[in-house]
Amino acid sequence: MRIAVFSTKPYDEEFLLSANTEAGAPHELEFHRAHLSEKSAALAQGSDAICAFVNDCADRPALEVLRDVGVRLICLRSAGFNNVDLAAARDLGLAVARVPAYSPHAIAEHTVAILLSLVRKIHRSYARVREGNFSLDGLLGFDLAGRTVGVVGTGKIGMCVARILTGFGCEVLGTDPLPNGDFHGRYVALDELLESADIVTLHCPLTPETHHLIDAQALSRMKDGVTIINTSRGAVIDTQAIIAALKTRKIGLLGLDVYEEEEDIFFEDMSRQAIMDDTFARLLTFPNVLITGHQGFFTTEALEAIARITIANASAFERDGRPLHSAGLRPSDQD
């Protein structure tokens, strides 16, 4: 198959080409730096499939263009598929494939890295030491041992986070509409989790039910000075409500690897221009906020798995008329 790959970075090209070669080079890959949209979809002219990433826009207008230029398969190199209009894809006869699991450890470990950096103020200490300032004033942290951590979403990533934090000596609470019997912690209702947790970490997919799950009302139930970590999807959090809670110190520490308007910022070098998103710029002004640019998935193991499964999805579709992992069967908690 000929596959047009959108939102391509050098690492995408490297890992996809390697996976395709390992599979016997069954597909012809054409790489495009452009994000997928209605305007750019025509770049797939002559392709049987396209490969898209989390911030590509596969809405009905874009899918109609893809259908018209001959595309039959949408391969997502991600687990989440909230950026795809699945109803439109079905109407247009387009199959949608995803990568349901690649390395839950990658995102779980990044979650804990953000948490530890915030709790012990590593990011602030690093900047000070670089300037020759070895004062400890303002760097006081707290032990994770003995703290109560609420894990919202106990899929593969949430399960990994729970195991890691159990090892730190935390009391772990979990909430999920589909509880897992192997969960390292105790399941409670969401309201109880929000009221009891010193630390709330989010690992749920973005669905209509989880959109702005953490809003002003949810924040009002939390402890004063709560720590919140989000490495799932940006829109699980109501950013305006979060900023208001930071200003009143309801939130003591905030760690984000995702942002609800990230498609215009993340994965690009913005260092030579002003960030025009005033809300994001406001978040950057808080010293108790740590933001990374959606890099939780970014490990060698994860990228190898994403590329391998993406190629396998395309090969299965070419052979059987259906990919190995169709989107829409059950939302995943991975990026």
Side-chain angles (χ1 to χ4, degrees), residues 197-253:
D198 303 299
I199 299 159
V200 175
T201 179
L202 304 170
H203 304 288
C204 50
L206 180 59
T207 66
E209 292 74 26
T210 63
H211 183 266
H212 285 184
L213 180 70
I214 304 303
D215 58 8
Q217 186 176 12
L219 288 163
S220 70
R221 297 192 182 98
M222 296 184 191
K223 292 183 177 180
D224 292 341
V226 67
T227 297
I228 298 176
I229 310 293
N230 186 17
T231 58
S232 58
R233 283 290 184 268
V236 171
I237 280 180
D238 180 343
T239 309
Q240 295 298 332
I242 287 289
I243 289 174
L246 285 165
K247 292 168 69 174
T248 63
R249 301 185 182 180
K250 180 71 176 182
I251 297 176
L253 300 170

Side-chain angles (χ1 to χ4, degrees), residues 130-272:
R130 296 275 293 180
E131 296 175 353
N133 180 358
F134 302 98
S135 169
L136 298 182
D137 291 341
L139 299 181
L140 186 65
F142 59 81
D143 292 353
L144 286 180
R147 300 282 172 165
T148 300
V149 179
V151 179
V152 180
T154 58
K156 293 181 176 65
I157 297 169
M159 291 283 285
C160 283
V161 170
R163 284 195 296 269
I164 293 169
L165 292 178
T166 297
F168 275 89
C170 298
E171 178 187 359
V172 179
L173 305 178
T175 189
D176 195 295
L178 296 173
N180 190 318
D182 296 326
F183 179 62
H184 285 241
R186 178 168 60 91
Y187 277 107
V188 297
L190 177 61
D191 284 352
E192 182 179 345
L193 182 149
L194 297 179
E195 292 166 1
S196 304
D198 303 299
I199 299 159
V200 175
T201 179
L202 304 170
H203 304 288
C204 50
L206 180 59
T207 66
E209 292 74 26
T210 63
H211 183 266
H212 285 184
L213 180 70
I214 304 303
D215 58 8
Q217 186 176 12
L219 288 163
S220 70
R221 297 192 182 98
M222 296 184 191
K223 292 183 177 180
D224 292 341
V226 67
T227 297
I228 298 176
I229 310 293
N230 186 17
T231 58
S232 58
R233 283 290 184 268
V236 171
I237 280 180
D238 180 343
T239 309
Q240 295 298 332
I242 287 289
I243 289 174
L246 285 165
K247 292 168 69 174
T248 63
R249 301 185 182 180
K250 180 71 176 182
I251 297 176
L253 300 170
L254 175 67
L256 304 176
D257 188 49
V258 289
Y259 171 62
E260 60 182 322
E261 302 296 336
E262 69 179 56
E263 61 270 13
D264 295 326
I265 302 172
F266 286 5
F267 305 115
E268 304 297 336
D269 182 357
M270 306 286 288
S271 61
R272 299 179 184 178

